Amino acid sequence: MLDLSEFLSGSESFRRIPAGQPIFSIDDPASSMFVVRAGAVEIRIGELVYESVGRGGIVGEMALLDPDIRVRSATAIARTDCEVAEIGHERLLQIIAQRPEIGLSLCRVVVRRLRATTFLTHHDSLTHLPNRHRFHELCRAALSRAGQAPVGLMLVGIDHFSRLNESFGNATGDEVLRAI
């Protein structure tokens, strides 16, 4: 697991961020990343908590890795009171020059986040079931594999589900969907 906090030299400026406050917001201009020195940070896209990052973790790395797009693609919010160090391009290069394996670790973080984004592209964020596009993809693949053999499909519907949401609220409805 990447822990960049051990490579902070002390020359970095640290910011204390109270719980619930943003470190940066989606679409903000971007030219640096942040290392979490203490506390926990949530990476969010809207209300979806994409990932939680603790001590030594990083947020905002895409600002340094993609020179063509210089805006934030997510919001980072302090989940607890936290302390972060802002790292610019030159400082990141210094850290990688000291320990080249940090470059690979950074790549692993980006790949893991990319895979999670790909999963969310194909699945419902609440139930983790395949979305319509992924469902169609899976059906095409099943039909192709089956060739001339018969194929079955079972659809499950929840009658009067809107009444559950109206009576007990969306949070309860969400719990029921996850349980099914």
Side-chain angles (χ1 to χ4, degrees):
M1 186 63 121
L2 177 65
D3 183 350
L4 273 180
S5 64
E6 64 188 65
F7 297 99
L8 301 177
S9 65
S11 65
E12 293 84 7
S13 59
F14 294 99
R15 288 183 12 205
R16 293 183 188 276
I17 312 290
Q21 294 300 305
I23 297 167
F24 56 79
S25 296
I26 195 167
D27 292 327
D28 281 354
S31 61
S32 59
M33 69 179 202
F34 295 87
V35 177
V36 180
R37 184 173 175 201
V41 174
E42 288 181 343
I43 301 171
R44 294 180 174 208
I45 301 171
E47 293 302 309
L48 174 68
V49 177
Y50 181 72
E51 185 178 339
S52 292
V53 178
R55 175 180 163 69
I58 59 171
V59 295
E61 70 285 347
M62 287 174 57
L64 296 180
L65 300 176
D66 186 358
D68 297 330
I69 310 243
R70 293 297 188 161
V71 294
R72 302 288 181 191
S73 59
T75 298
I77 297 178
R79 189 175 75 199
T80 63
D81 289 345
C82 65
E83 193 172 77
V84 297
E86 191 166 3
I87 304 291
H89 186 262
E90 292 304 316
R91 180 65 183 126
L92 179 61
L93 289 177
Q94 290 171 354
I95 291 170
I96 292 172
Q98 285 177 298
R99 298 270 306 270
E101 68 273 15
I102 292 293
L104 285 176
S105 294
L106 185 60
C107 288
R108 285 186 197 103
V109 169
V110 172
V111 166
R112 183 176 34 84
R113 290 178 179 167
L114 178 60
R115 288 184 194 280
T117 301
T118 301
F119 180 85
L120 290 173
T121 300
H122 297 288
H123 295 81
D124 178 78
S125 61
L126 177 66
T127 63
H128 296 276
L129 292 171
N131 62 19
R132 182 173 50 94
H133 300 291
R134 180 70 176 139
F135 175 73
H136 287 183
E137 210 173 79
L138 292 169
C139 286
R140 277 191 294 278
L143 289 171
S144 176
R145 279 193 313 272
Q148 297 299 316
V151 175
L153 175 67
M154 182 173 80
L155 296 176
V156 177
I158 306 171
D159 292 336
H160 312 293
F161 187 76
S162 60
R163 284 193 220 158
L164 179 81
N165 275 336
E166 291 165 3
S167 298
F168 299 101
N170 289 338
T172 300
D174 290 351
E175 285 182 46
V176 168
L177 287 174
R178 280 191 293 266
I180 295 174

